[in-house]
């Protein structure tokens, strides 16, 4: 049996990969294509609605049904999870150091480039007298 968390991840993965918002029947077809056991329509709908209540999905009317899409891009969601975990710590330094040690060297290089670009952008902002 698939756990709730695992099914939520599968649904999120399907919607991130989708080119457009999906009806529950379309979502169910794609979820079932990835799984070993077919899930009922109501199961997929219940989990999708739970993700809407968690503000991870957006639901828009389409006739008598709804279309579902991710509220954020995958990379924005991952970044918000990392920032949320970091904000729970009183001292960010040790966690940031451990994170930097644990990631792939190519990813560390990309992170360093992004941080360098952010620092350069912050330094090049002209300060305006009077704050206007």
């Amino acid at each position: 049996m698939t756990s709730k968390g695992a099914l939520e991840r599968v649904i999120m993965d399907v919607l991130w990969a989708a080119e457009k918002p999906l009806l529950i029947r379309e979502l169910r077809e794609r979820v079932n294509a990835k799984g070993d056991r077919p899930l009922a329509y109501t199961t997929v709908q219940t989990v999708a609605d739970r993700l809407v209540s968690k503000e991870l999905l957006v639901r828009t009317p389409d006739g008598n049904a709804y279309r579902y899409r991710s509220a954020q891009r995958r990379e924005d969601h991952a970044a918000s999870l990392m920032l949320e975990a970091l904000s729970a710590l009183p001292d960010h330094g040790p966690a940031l150091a451990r994170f930097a040690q644990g990631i792939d060297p190519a990813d560390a290089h990309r992170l360093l480039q992004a941080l360098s670009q952010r620092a350069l952008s912050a330094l090049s902002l002209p300060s305006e007298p009077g704050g206007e």
Side-chain angles (χ1 to χ4, degrees):
M1 183 167 153
T2 305
S3 73
K4 290 179 193 173
L7 183 51
E8 286 182 356
R9 282 190 298 278
V10 170
I11 287 174
M12 293 302 298
D13 286 342
V14 166
L15 288 169
W16 278 318
E19 295 178 7
K20 62 179 182 150
L22 300 177
L23 296 167
I24 289 295
R25 66 178 164 77
E26 297 168 326
L27 180 58
R28 179 180 171 259
E29 288 171 8
R30 294 179 189 194
V31 167
N32 283 339
K34 291 179 171 277
D36 53 346
R37 194 179 117 226
L39 298 171
Y41 180 99
T42 54
T43 301
V44 176
Q45 183 173 23
T46 299
V47 175
D49 288 339
R50 186 179 308 122
L51 290 167
V52 169
S53 70
K54 292 179 179 183
E55 299 182 352
L56 295 172
L57 296 183
V58 174
R59 178 174 74 182
T60 54
D62 184 355
N64 292 331
Y66 290 100
R67 288 194 175 271
Y68 293 80
R69 68 171 175 81
S70 173
Q72 294 181 302
R73 296 177 308 170
R74 181 190 304 263
E75 54 273 12
D76 293 334
H77 177 68
S80 69
L81 290 175
M82 291 188 291
L83 289 169
E84 182 180 333
L86 193 59
S87 72
L89 300 173
D91 181 5
H92 302 166
L96 288 170
R98 181 66 187 105
F99 179 76
Q101 292 169 353
I103 62 175
D104 179 86
D107 289 336
H109 181 71
R110 289 168 48 188
L111 180 59
L112 182 59
Q113 287 178 314
L115 290 170
S116 296
Q117 184 61 43
R118 180 175 178 203
L120 287 173
S121 295
L123 291 174
S124 66
L125 291 175
S127 60
E128 297 182 31
E132 294 187 279

